[in-house]
Structure formats: structure tokens, C-alpha cells
Amino acid sequence: MVRGGSSYLSQSELPITFGLGARDKIERTVIEWPSGRTEEYKELRAGSSYKCLETKGIEMQPGF
């Protein structure tokens, strides 16, 4: 769970890091947004960084 700004004058880190061991891909990722919407993504590359925006989808970030 990611919470952005949970108390006065504070901020929570938004990136989430997953340990995958020796795997080279993420078979399935499900995001449950606070609005109640659920989005599912499959076959994501390990060692990559992705940007996820509700209703906008997912995109790999440059530099990886």
C-alpha cells in the first residue's frame, strides 16, 4: 500500500520496489486504486521502472 502525505508536513515515498529473485519478468501485477478501480498488467520486465497512472495505463520509464 502506498500512502502519499499521511500527516501534517510529511510525505511518503511513492515508488514501490519489488524483489523478484532470479526472475526476469513479473507475470501479473494488480493495482487497486483508492477510487475502487482495479487495473491488471502482465509480462512486465524485471529491472525496469514503470509509471502507473489511474485510467492512463502503465509506461516504462527511460533509463533502464
Side-chain angles (χ1 to χ4, degrees):
M1 178 185 290
V2 176
R3 296 179 77 163
S6 58
S7 67
Y8 182 70
L9 293 178
S10 71
Q11 181 176 348
S12 301
E13 184 178 16
L14 297 179
I16 302 173
T17 302
F18 298 93
L20 303 176
R23 295 182 178 147
D24 60 354
K25 67 180 177 180
I26 300 168
E27 293 179 21
R28 178 176 173 256
T29 300
V30 177
I31 300 173
E32 296 177 4
W33 297 100
S35 68
R37 180 184 177 90
T38 300
E39 296 176 350
E40 180 176 336
Y41 302 100
K42 296 182 179 182
E43 305 296 325
L44 302 176
R45 284 186 12 197
S48 299
S49 180
Y50 293 90
K51 181 178 181 179
C52 306
L53 295 173
E54 186 176 10
T55 73
K56 303 288 184 189
I58 189 169
E59 62 182 46
M60 187 183 298
Q61 295 296 285
F64 281 87

